[in-house]
Amino acid sequence: DGNYYLLAYDEKKKDMRTYRLDRMKEVGLTGIPREGEDVFAKLDMNTYCQRRFGMHSGTQRVVTVRFIPPLLDTAVERFGIKDAMYYKPDDRHYAVRANVQISDQFFGWLLGFGKRMKIIDPPEVVEQFKEYLDKVRGMYE
């Protein structure tokens, strides 16, 4: 979306962090050797990006999303084919089972498809999505 991101390793938290470059101030070289080189070596950047929505972090979960056939290309573009499983649960839909970072950005992406796309598993993520919808609806009451 026209934004550039820096993927960095946080030594204190032993985890990867994502930063928007346009929001960083006073960026410069420190000369300090970087940490986490072994973590970066194991990282598959395509898979990493497909799991995240708008580079927002969240709890990683395997979810199953059902959608209408015209959205198959959209789903493949979003979830890829390497770590995702596609199938036809019935004659009117496709479904994908994939790892995603559960976040408001993920829920907003789904919401953009209205009734044409639906989380069907796991039940906990379905409930989280319902809570997200209630929170958004509550803003307009």
Side-chain angles (χ1 to χ4, degrees):
D1 294 328
N3 298 316
Y4 290 90
Y5 298 91
L6 168 68
L7 180 60
Y9 183 75
D10 185 326
E11 177 63 26
K12 290 179 184 174
K13 296 186 180 182
K14 305 286 186 216
D15 195 15
M16 300 297 284
R17 299 286 182 210
T18 306
Y19 303 94
R20 283 232 342 236
L21 290 177
D22 61 314
R23 293 188 177 168
M24 298 174 81
K25 295 179 181 175
E26 300 179 25
V27 176
L29 296 174
T30 64
I32 300 171
R34 77 176 199 186
E35 301 287 338
E37 203 164 336
D38 55 329
V39 175
F40 277 101
K42 296 175 188 173
L43 185 66
D44 177 345
M45 190 56 71
N46 287 332
T47 300
Y48 181 84
C49 290
Q50 287 167 343
R51 289 179 182 169
R52 298 176 73 94
F53 284 77
M55 297 309 281
H56 291 266
S57 62
T59 305
Q60 184 171 303
R61 294 293 305 266
V62 174
V63 298
T64 303
V65 178
R66 186 186 71 197
F67 51 91
I68 62 172
L71 295 179
L72 180 59
D73 286 342
T74 301
V76 170
E77 181 180 299
R78 175 77 259 180
F79 300 109
I81 55 174
K82 181 179 177 187
D83 296 318
M85 182 184 78
Y86 296 87
Y87 62 98
K88 286 188 64 101
D90 57 53
D91 291 342
R92 297 175 39 216
H93 299 95
Y94 282 102
V96 59
R97 185 169 170 80
N99 281 305
V100 300
Q101 300 283 337
I102 305 302
S103 66
D104 286 357
Q105 288 296 110
F106 168 60
F107 292 149
W109 180 81
L110 284 168
L111 191 56
F113 295 104
K115 294 182 177 183
R116 299 174 298 159
M117 190 173 282
K118 178 181 180 180
I119 303 168
I120 58 175
D121 194 59
E124 305 83 44
V125 176
V126 172
E127 286 305 312
Q128 282 181 276
F129 186 58
K130 288 178 182 179
E131 290 169 11
Y132 171 80
L133 292 172
D134 289 341
K135 183 172 62 173
V136 171
R137 184 178 22 249
M139 291 174 51
Y140 294 94
E141 291 181 350

